[in-house]
C-alpha cells in the first residue's frame, strides 16, 4: 500500500480534480448554450412582436386612410346630388331641370357603385362570396363588358379594341357576373389612367386539361403607368399606388383587392406589368369548366318589354319610397295596392288576391319577415303560393338568407334598379304562377 499510495493518491486526486473541472466546464458550457439559445429566442420573439405591431399599425393607418378616402368619395357625388337637386327645384325651365336631374342620376349611380364595392369587399373578407356557375359565351361576355365602356372611351378619344384567340371555345362554365366585375374594374382603371392612345384587350387559353381551361385575359393601356415598387401594393386592400392617387383620380383603393380575391376564388391569379410613362398591362387568369353540350340559347336578354298586367301588393313604410315605387310599378302597367306596415300587408293579403307581393323589411308594428311568415302560414290553409320579393336597404350577405328563410322567393336591394325589379317580378310570376309549391 505504502509503495504506491502517495503517488497514487495524488494521481487519483488530480485525476478527480481534472474530471470535476471538466464536468463543471461542460455544465457551464451547457448553461451558456441554453442561455444563448434563450436569448436568441427572446430576441426573435421581440422582433416578431415588433413586426406584428408594425403590421397592425400599417393596417390601421391604411384603414384610416381608406376611411378618409371613402368619406371624400361619398361626399363628392353627394355634393352633386344635393346641389343639382336644389338647382332643379328652383328653376321652372324644363330643359334645365332635365339637365340637373341627369347630373343627379349620374352622381347617384357612382355613389351606388361605391357602396356596392365596399359591400362586396366586406363580403369577400368575411368569406361570404358565393359563386354562381352557368354556361356563358366568352365572346359575348367580353362584348358586353366592352360596350359598357365604349361611350366613356369615345368621350376621352381612346381606341378600345379586343381580340379573342380563335382556340377559345364559344361556351364555358363559370361565374359570369364575377368575371364581369373583374374585367370592369380593370377597364375602368385603364380608362381612368389613360388620357390618350388606346386600351387593348386579349383573351386566350393558357392551360387545359380534360375538365377545364385556364383562360388568360389581358387589359393593356397606354396610360401613366405604375412604378415597379408599387406593383404589389396596388393589389392590397385599402392601398393605392400613392396617397395622392386618391385625390387625383378618386377611387376607394378596393377595386384591385376585390379583383385579386375574385380571381383567386376562380382558381386563377392576377399580375401587372408596367412602367411609368409606358402604360400598364394587367393580366389575370381564371379556371373555367368545359361544356360538353352547347347551350341552345343565351338566357333571355334583360330589358325586353314587360307586357304584363299584375296585381301587386306593395308593403313599404317610407313615404318617399312609397311614391317612387308606386310610380315605377304603375308606369310598368301594374295595379298596385299599398300597405304601410307589415300588419297592413297581412290584412290586405287576407282580403284580396295578388300576383306578387313586394315586401320592405324594416317596417313599424310588424316587419317584413314577420309579415311574410304570417302570409305563408295563411297559405297553408289556402294552398296557394304568392311570390314575395324582399325589397330592402339591408344588403348584407346574411340579410338575403334571412329573407329566404322567412319564406320569400326573391330579393332586390335598395336603391332599386327598375329593370332588375321588373325582371324579378316577371321571373317569379312566370315560375310561381300562384301554384302551391
Ligand atoms: Mn322600411
Amino acid at each position: 500500500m505504502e509503495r504506491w499510495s502517495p503517488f497514487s493518491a495524488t494521481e487519483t486526486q488530480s485525476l478527480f480534480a481534472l474530471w470535476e473541472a471538466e464536468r463543471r466546464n461542460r455544465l457551464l458550457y451547457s448553461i451558456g448554450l441554453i442561455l444563448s439559445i434563450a436569448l436568441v429566442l427572446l430576441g426573435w420573439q421581440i422582433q416578431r412582436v415588433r413586426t406584428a405591431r408594425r403590421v397592425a399599425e400599417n393596417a390601421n393607418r391604411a384603414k384610416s386612410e381608406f376611411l378618409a378616402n371613402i368619406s371624400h368619395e361619398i361626399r363628392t357625388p353627394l355634393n352633386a346630388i344635393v346641389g343639382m337637386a336644389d338647382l332643379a327645384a328652383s328653376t321652372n325651365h324644363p330643359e334645365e331641370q332635365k339637365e340637373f336631374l341627369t347630373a343627379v342620376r349620374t352622381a347617384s349611380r357612382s355613389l351606388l357603385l361605391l357602396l356596392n364595392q365596399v359591400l362586396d369587399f366586406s363580403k369577400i373578407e368575411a368569406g361570404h362570396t358565393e359563386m354562381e356557375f352557368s354556361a356563358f359565351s366568352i365572346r359575348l361576355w367580353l362584348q358586353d363588358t366592352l360596350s359598357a365602356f365604349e361611350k366613356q372611351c369615345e368621350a376621352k378619344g381612346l381606341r378600345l379594341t379586343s381580340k379573342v384567340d380563335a382556340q377559345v371555345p364559344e361556351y364555358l362554365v363559370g361565374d359570369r357576373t364575377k368575371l364581369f366585375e373583374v374585367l370592369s374594374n380593370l377597364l375602368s382603371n385603364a380608362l381612368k389612367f389613360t388620357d390618350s392612345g388606346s386600351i387593348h384587350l386579349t383573351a386566350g387559353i393558357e392551360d387545359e386539361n380534360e375538365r377545364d381551361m385556364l383562360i388568360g385575359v389581358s387589359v393593356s393601356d397606354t396610360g401613366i403607368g405604375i412604378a415597379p415598387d408599387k406593383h404589389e401594393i396596388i393589389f392590397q386592400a385599402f392601398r393605392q399606388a400613392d396617397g395622392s392617387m386618391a385625390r387625383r383620380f378618386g377611387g376607394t383603393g378596393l377595386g384591385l383587392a376585390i379583383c385579386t380575391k375574385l380571381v383567386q376564388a376562380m382558381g386563377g391569379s392576377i399580375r401587372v406589368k408596367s412602367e411609368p410613362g409606358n402604360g400598364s398591362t394587367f393580366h389575370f387568369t381564371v379556371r373555367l369548366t368545359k361544356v360538353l353540350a352547347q347551350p341552345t340559347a343565351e338566357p333571355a336578354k334583360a330589358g325586353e318589354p314587360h307586357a304584363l298586367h299584375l296585381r301587386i301588393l306593395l308593403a313599404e313604410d317610407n313615404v318617399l319610397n312609397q311614391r317612387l315605387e308606386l310610380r315605377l310599378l304603375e308606369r310598368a302597367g301594374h295595379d298596385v295596392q299599398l300597405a304601410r306596415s307589415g300588419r297592413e300587408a297581412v290584412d290586405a293579403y287576407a282580403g284580396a288576391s295578388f300576383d306578387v307581393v313586394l315586401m320592405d323589411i324594416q317596417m313599424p308594428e310588424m316587419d317584413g319577415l314577420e309579415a311574410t311568415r304570417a302570409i305563408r302560414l295563411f297559405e297553408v290553409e289556402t294552398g296557394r303560393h304568392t311570390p314575395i320579393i324582399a325589397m330592402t336597404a339591408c344588403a348584407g350577405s346574411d340579410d338575403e338568407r334571412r329573407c329566404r328563410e322567412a319564406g320569400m322567393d326573391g330579393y332586390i336591394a335598395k336603391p332599386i334598379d327598375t329593370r332588375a325589379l321588373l325582371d324579378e317580378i316577371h321571373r317569379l310570376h312566370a315560375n310561381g304562377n300562384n301554384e302551391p309549391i
Side-chain angles (χ1 to χ4, degrees):
M1 286 294 245
E2 260 179 8
R3 220 168 3 109
W4 55 271
S5 70
F7 176 75
S8 177
T10 328
E11 193 182 355
T12 314
Q13 264 170 11
S14 57
L15 263 178
F16 182 75
L18 208 68
W19 178 75
E20 187 58 28
E22 208 168 295
R23 202 177 67 105
R24 213 171 300 140
N25 249 351
R26 228 173 320 164
L27 194 73
L28 273 176
Y29 179 73
S30 310
I31 290 173
L33 192 72
I34 290 170
L35 268 177
S36 38
I37 288 176
L39 266 176
V40 166
L41 276 175
L42 192 71
W44 179 62
Q45 196 62 25
I46 289 172
Q47 198 60 41
R48 255 176 40 138
V49 170
R50 274 196 194 140
T51 318
R53 198 194 307 152
R54 205 169 39 236
V55 167
E57 273 166 8
N58 276 346
N60 238 339
R61 200 173 31 244
K63 280 202 177 166
S64 318
E65 232 168 70
F66 165 75
L67 275 181
N69 282 349
I70 209 155
S71 143
H72 169 265
E73 284 305 294
I74 291 173
R75 275 168 195 281
T76 310
L78 208 54
N79 180 47
I81 292 170
V82 174
M84 289 292 173
D86 271 349
L87 282 175
S90 64
T91 176
N92 287 324
H93 200 280
E95 277 304 306
E96 269 184 349
Q97 278 180 341
K98 197 167 177 188
E99 186 194 321
F100 295 143
L101 289 177
T102 311
V104 169
R105 187 168 62 188
T106 312
S108 323
R109 285 198 178 142
S110 71
L111 196 55
L112 180 61
L113 190 79
L114 173 77
L115 200 63
N116 283 340
Q117 250 191 6
V118 173
L119 205 67
D120 256 8
F121 185 76
S122 75
K123 273 186 197 173
I124 294 173
E125 280 278 273
H128 283 314
T129 15
E130 272 166 35
M131 293 284 162
E132 279 171 38
F133 297 107
S134 64
F136 68 96
S137 157
I138 296 278
R139 287 176 180 80
L140 267 181
W141 159 65
L142 281 174
Q143 250 175 42
D144 282 356
T145 321
L146 284 178
S147 67
F149 288 87
E150 256 163 17
K151 264 203 184 137
Q152 289 161 279
C153 281
E154 222 171 88
K156 278 186 103 172
L158 301 174
R159 253 178 319 117
L160 181 62
T161 51
S162 70
K163 188 176 182 302
V164 181
D165 198 285
Q167 302 286 307
V168 175
E170 192 58 37
Y171 288 96
L172 284 167
V173 175
D175 192 318
R176 190 181 195 278
T177 323
K178 302 254 159 40
L179 278 168
F180 181 83
E181 203 179 325
V182 173
L183 191 57
S184 308
N185 252 313
L186 297 182
L187 276 171
S188 73
N189 275 349
L191 188 67
K192 190 158 38 172
F193 298 116
T194 310
D195 283 327
S196 65
S198 62
I199 298 172
H200 184 58
L201 210 140
T202 59
I205 303 171
E206 302 212 342
D207 191 22
E208 181 178 0
N209 61 31
E210 268 174 29
R211 227 177 68 83
D212 44 34
M213 276 179 177
L214 193 68
I215 300 290
V217 180
S218 288
V219 179
S220 313
D221 63 48
T222 53
I224 58 171
I226 305 157
D229 59 324
K230 308 289 182 198
H231 286 189
E232 265 176 50
I233 284 181
I234 53 170
F235 292 104
Q236 292 167 15
F238 311 121
R239 302 290 290 272
Q240 287 174 320
D242 75 70
S244 67
M245 211 74 154
R247 288 188 288 284
R248 269 166 66 207
F249 298 101
T252 52
L254 281 181
L256 287 174
I258 292 177
C259 286
T260 307
K261 301 257 178 174
L262 285 180
V263 297
Q264 279 169 357
M266 290 187 271
S269 60
I270 185 165
R271 61 170 194 268
V272 64
K273 231 168 76 184
S274 179
E275 257 177 67
N278 277 329
S280 313
T281 297
F282 281 86
H283 177 88
F284 72 89
T285 53
V286 283
R287 204 162 276 286
L288 300 175
T289 315
K290 290 178 183 172
V291 194
L292 296 177
Q294 300 258 313
T296 43
E298 281 278 292
K301 276 240 168 183
E304 268 156 29
H306 298 269
L308 269 178
H309 179 76
L310 302 175
R311 285 146 301 146
I312 295 177
L313 175 60
L314 170 68
E316 170 69 66
D317 65 316
N318 180 286
V319 179
L320 282 179
N321 280 340
Q322 285 169 1
R323 266 166 61 186
L324 169 72
E325 286 150 21
L326 267 173
R327 199 72 73 82
L328 211 143
L329 292 167
E330 280 169 355
R331 220 157 94 175
H334 303 302
D335 265 341
V336 188
Q337 185 174 335
L338 181 68
R340 289 172 185 81
S341 70
R343 162 78 43 217
E344 270 186 43
V346 176
D347 290 345
Y349 183 85
S353 99
F354 297 95
D355 297 307
V356 173
V357 180
L358 297 179
M359 188 73 83
D360 181 29
I361 301 300
Q362 304 260 332
M363 286 187 287
E365 251 186 294
M366 182 190 260
D367 69 16
L369 298 173
E370 241 180 288
T372 303
R373 280 187 214 108
I375 288 175
R376 289 292 177 243
L377 205 64
F378 189 73
E379 283 179 340
V380 172
E381 291 164 33
T382 61
R384 285 190 311 166
H385 181 90
T386 307
I388 302 180
I389 301 174
M391 253 189 339
T392 171
C394 314
S397 50
D398 249 17
D399 297 298
E400 183 166 356
R401 186 182 49 79
R402 286 195 309 146
C403 290
R404 301 220 180 257
E405 274 170 12
M408 302 202 186
D409 311 272
Y411 183 91
I412 293 282
K414 283 176 186 164
I416 297 160
D417 174 7
T418 312
R419 219 164 68 183
L421 174 66
L422 295 178
D423 278 342
E424 187 74 346
I425 291 175
H426 202 177
R427 184 180 73 81
L428 285 175
H429 177 69
N431 281 356
N433 229 359
N434 277 354
E435 291 298 320
I437 49 167

